[in-house]
Amino acid sequence: MSNHPGDEVTHRAFLNDRVWHRALLTAALAGGLAVSGPVFADVPPATGTLTSSQQTSNKLLADAQKAIQAGNGRLALISLKNALTADPQNSRARVTLGILLNQMGDGGGAERELRQARKDGAPPALVLPALFDVMLARDENQILLTQFPEPAPNTPEAATILMARAMALQGLKRPTEAVEAIDHSLAIRRDARGLLIRARIALQQGQIADARKFLDEAIPKATTPEAMLFKSGILLSARENQAALDLINQLLEKYPGNLQGRFARIEAYIALNQDDKAKPELDDILAKYPNYPMGIYYRALLLQRSGDSKGAWNMAQNLPGELRDSQPRIALTLALMAKDAGNEDTAASILGRLLLKVPNSAAARLGLASIRLRQHNAPEALKVLTPVKDSSDLRVQEQLANTYIQLNRGDEALTILRKLDADGKAGPAIKRSIALLEIQGGHADQGIKDLTRLASKEPGDPELAAPLIGALVQAKRFPEALAVADKLGSDPKQRVAALVDRGGILTLQKDDVGAQAAFDKAVESDPKSVRALLARAEFLASMQKFPESDRDLNASLSLDPKNLGALLKLADNAMRQGRDRDVRTVLGRAIVVSPQSSMARIALIRYLMARRDFKSALPVADDFSRVQPGNGEAVTMLGTTQLALG
């Protein structure tokens, strides 16, 4: 642990940070005015005989600090409140409570406690840094400037007030005045604390070299680890990962056991893909502090990186909300864990909550919009992206274009993508999208020309070959489509895909013998290719070779039991052969496999209604309307079935 009992409480961002690049950069930027350790050093120890209430209050404060060090914020909160009940004038307890409430996301409660401490006569050196932290975290920049005007140089705490004013001015986008204020502070007292703020302002103004320079000056003067943490965060952000690790190791030599430093080292190991070193470091921390939320978070992160998304989410979903909301990068990571574990709605909820706190987070907006698009909810995706639609961020513009495509607003999507192309930002994926939109917009020749040019550079790229083949087939230019498929097949890795494409083209040309040969070769090349099996099954069904088609469908389902397309085709084969029981069984299985999909439910209800088996159709329709109450077709089918039954 740190040598300073207040480390885990007082490590708090001086400004509600809007910029983060990596985990450690965010932690480094947290080195504001309320720095670790010395916050209590300015308070002289009590003299004279203490009353029993004061003794009780001090003991409860000590208990709270131990709970904080162990990562148990809730227990610390109880102890601090009890300490103030015993002695309402205990300044250290009230300031610590304010800082803790701020860390736990209760900025309003934190500000009330800190202002009360100030009113009760708490020393300015104790209360002002913490109060400034809270005000700036709540974006009370103008209020701070009004309540704390520029002090005279000989005013007590003048340097501290000027630091806060500098951050407030930076928050109000008055960078020149911010620099003037912090430089004025440094002229009064050029200490590590002021240099950290100067470095932070430089970083927020994009002057990374200056930020490094001020940090290099701060590190030798510092008696706490913040400057070294800040510098290591910048190094990680610049992907100077080994240099960051070296600096963190120096930090831990100087401050043995410092938890922030140890977590910084874990972050550096992860950046270096040295998870095998991060794990024992984390195990050692959790052996001492088994319930420490940040330790549990990193354990979940390592599980996620190992490919165990469900295990990661099972561990992470029980983390306290105050940790999730403490830093944007943590919220983003937890949302990714939830999404990868199949909990998209939970991921969307986390991202939505993050956007309430950090509305200009492009990463959060992109993540949430991506989820909405996968849920085929393009209107919601557009709402999420609209506030950043003018962003120069390539990812935002691509996502916006994808949203317009799903909304069938191809012209708007094409406008965005053409602009990216004109600006030299368009890679192959964007150029492919432009070509496809040109084809959809009635400019097939131009689209085919563009796709052909792209495919000639990457003939083995299936993401270019597939849309080009589709466009050529649509234009009935079959020989050219076959030529593209053959070029794709020259890459052994793409041989199966090329043969499937060839079989499809020959089917359209009514060359059944050639198509059958192509599909057979595809399955022979890779008997475990679900795509090849399904393609041949579809072809065989079109030839009314149902037993052979069922064979391929069942083989594909043995490889992918949840393949809805295979199940629906199997049911269709059974329907065409009059196998009533098999139709019902297979469609029931499809509903179980994909309960949120409407396709299997609609197919079964329509089949039962066509057979006038309304009694069997009713529970299926009723369940459909219950699962998807907003689906108009579900309601219509339920009503039709009820009417048929009288």
Side-chain angles (χ1 to χ4, degrees), residues 36 136 206 331-332 342 373 397 401 444 465-466 478 520 534 544 607 617 627 637:
S36 300
L136 292 166
L332 289 168
L373 286 176
Q397 294 304 314
F478 299 117
D520 287 346
L534 289 178
Q544 297 190 18
Y607 173 75
V627 173
M637 286 184 159

Side-chain angles (χ1 to χ4, degrees), residues 161-372:
I161 293 170
L162 285 165
M163 290 179 205
R165 286 181 59 83
M167 294 300 288
L169 290 163
Q170 178 66 27
L172 291 170
K173 303 189 186 308
R174 293 158 63 179
T176 302
E177 294 172 84
V179 170
E180 289 174 355
I182 189 60
D183 286 349
H184 188 183
S185 172
L186 290 171
I188 297 171
R189 187 180 72 216
R190 198 173 185 86
D191 61 3
R193 180 181 295 181
L195 289 164
L196 276 169
I197 299 298
R198 184 66 183 87
R200 180 169 183 152
I201 289 174
L203 183 66
Q204 291 180 338
Q205 294 186 9
Q207 299 162 355
I208 298 176
D210 286 347
R212 289 194 184 204
K213 179 186 71 174
F214 289 117
L215 284 172
D216 288 340
E217 184 182 351
I219 287 172
K221 297 181 178 184
T223 57
T224 59
E226 275 70 31
M228 298 177 83
L229 281 169
F230 198 154
K231 177 76 178 290
S232 63
I234 290 178
L235 290 170
L236 281 172
S237 178
R239 298 189 180 182
E240 297 177 35
N241 301 323
Q242 187 58 53
L245 180 59
D246 294 341
L247 181 60
I248 294 164
N249 285 333
Q250 293 174 32
L251 181 156
L252 288 169
E253 288 179 10
K254 189 173 182 179
Y255 304 98
N258 178 271
L259 271 183
Q260 295 167 13
R262 296 194 71 185
F263 284 127
R265 183 153 63 188
I266 289 170
E267 195 74 40
Y269 283 143
I270 290 173
L272 287 163
N273 291 317
Q274 296 178 2
D275 293 20
D276 57 328
K277 293 182 179 178
K279 187 176 182 303
E281 178 96 39
L282 181 60
D283 289 344
D284 185 62
I285 293 172
L286 287 172
K288 296 174 183 174
Y289 311 105
N291 298 317
Y292 200 86
M294 204 67 189
I296 295 170
Y297 165 78
Y298 275 109
R299 174 149 287 173
L301 179 59
L302 288 172
L303 282 173
Q304 171 87 350
R305 287 170 59 84
S306 71
D308 185 2
S309 297
K310 289 192 175 180
W313 177 240
N314 287 338
M315 180 170 292
Q317 64 183 321
N318 296 317
L319 287 168
E322 53 263 28
L323 174 64
R324 178 198 62 214
D325 297 335
S326 65
Q327 295 178 30
R329 60 97 180 178
I330 292 179
L332 289 168
T333 302
L334 292 177
L336 178 63
M337 289 181 189
K339 180 186 74 67
D340 288 350
N343 297 285
E344 286 197 336
D345 288 338
T346 302
S349 176
I350 294 171
L351 293 171
R353 185 181 178 90
L354 173 57
L355 285 172
L356 290 175
K357 293 185 66 177
V358 191
N360 61 346
S361 169
R365 290 193 178 278
L366 286 167
L368 184 54
S370 174
I371 291 172
R372 295 308 184 212

